[in-house]
């Protein structure tokens, strides 16, 4: 299974936000610079995650973005479901003439369910908590 770049960067953005001190705001620009993705793409990702409640966008002069709920309550499988189209193959009768007899569709559906079941076992907190290497990569120590 390969996630779209939209979901991939959505998960990465959440990981970055989870590494910040609770409630701290950052900007979309900072997140795009961390991952080298276009700002336009990240704006769309953050907008979708904001609609889903994973990110809170604060407007105004001192605004920015931050996690919309605690990292412990953000289940990775749920984020994937919210961001990913999850249609692995197009089994519509207009697209494939073997659809009525094909067993591939159910095999793929079973594999997708197994993948999501595994992702449901992990929260955003699980991905970032105690991960000092990730912290050093994303949040470098600022000189005093």
């Amino acid at each position: 299974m390969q996630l779209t770049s939209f979901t991939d960067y959505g998960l990465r953005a959440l990981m970055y936000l989870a590494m910040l001190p609770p409630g701290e705001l950052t900007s979309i620009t900072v997140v795009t610079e961390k991952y080298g993705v276009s700002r336009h793409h990240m704006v769309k990702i953050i907008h979708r995650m904001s609609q889903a409640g994973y990110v809170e966008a604060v407007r105004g002069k001192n605004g920015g973005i931050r996690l919309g709920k605690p990292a412990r309550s953000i289940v990775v499988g749920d984020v994937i479901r919210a961001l990913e189209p999850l249609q692995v193959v197009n089994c519509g009768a207009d697209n494939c003439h073997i659809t009525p007899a094909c067993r591939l569709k159910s095999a793929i559906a079973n594999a997708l369910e197994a993948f999501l079941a595994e992702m449901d076992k992990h929260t955003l907190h699980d991905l970032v908590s105690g991960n000092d290497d990730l912290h050093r990569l994303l949040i470098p120590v600022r000189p005093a």
Side-chain angles (χ1 to χ4, degrees), residues 14 17-19 67-76 122-129:
L14 288 176
L17 295 175
M19 298 298 284
L67 284 182
K69 53 178 94 174
R72 289 182 189 278
S73 68
I74 298 177
V75 177
V76 176
H122 305 279
T123 66
L124 184 58
H125 179 264
D126 297 334
L127 301 180
V128 301
S129 179

Side-chain angles (χ1 to χ4, degrees), residues 88 103-118:
V88 180
R103 293 180 182 158
L104 179 61
K105 183 177 182 176
S106 65
I108 289 174
N110 291 340
L112 179 58
E113 283 306 311
F115 170 75
L116 290 171
E118 180 60 32

Side-chain angles (χ1 to χ4, degrees), residues 6-115:
F6 193 90
T7 303
D8 179 16
Y9 284 112
L11 289 167
R12 292 183 201 203
L14 288 176
M15 290 170 67
Y16 177 74
L17 295 175
M19 298 298 284
L20 297 174
E24 183 175 312
L25 292 168
T26 191
S27 69
I28 291 175
T29 301
V30 169
V31 177
T32 61
E33 289 172 357
K34 289 289 176 189
Y35 294 115
V37 64
S38 83
R39 188 177 195 292
H40 179 72
H41 191 53
M42 189 57 72
V43 166
K44 288 194 259 183
I45 293 166
I46 296 298
H47 178 71
R48 173 92 60 83
M49 290 195 304
S50 177
Q51 290 176 322
Y54 298 119
V55 172
E56 179 184 5
V58 178
R59 295 181 182 265
K61 182 180 176 185
N62 296 316
I65 58 172
R66 62 181 163 217
L67 284 182
K69 53 178 94 174
R72 289 182 189 278
S73 68
I74 298 177
V75 177
V76 176
D78 291 341
V79 176
I80 292 170
R81 285 180 188 88
L83 301 181
E84 191 68 23
L86 294 178
Q87 181 178 352
V88 180
V89 294
N90 183 352
C91 293
D94 58 330
N95 189 56
C96 181
H97 72 280
I98 67 169
T99 296
C102 184
R103 293 180 182 158
L104 179 61
K105 183 177 182 176
S106 65
I108 289 174
N110 291 340
L112 179 58
E113 283 306 311
F115 170 75

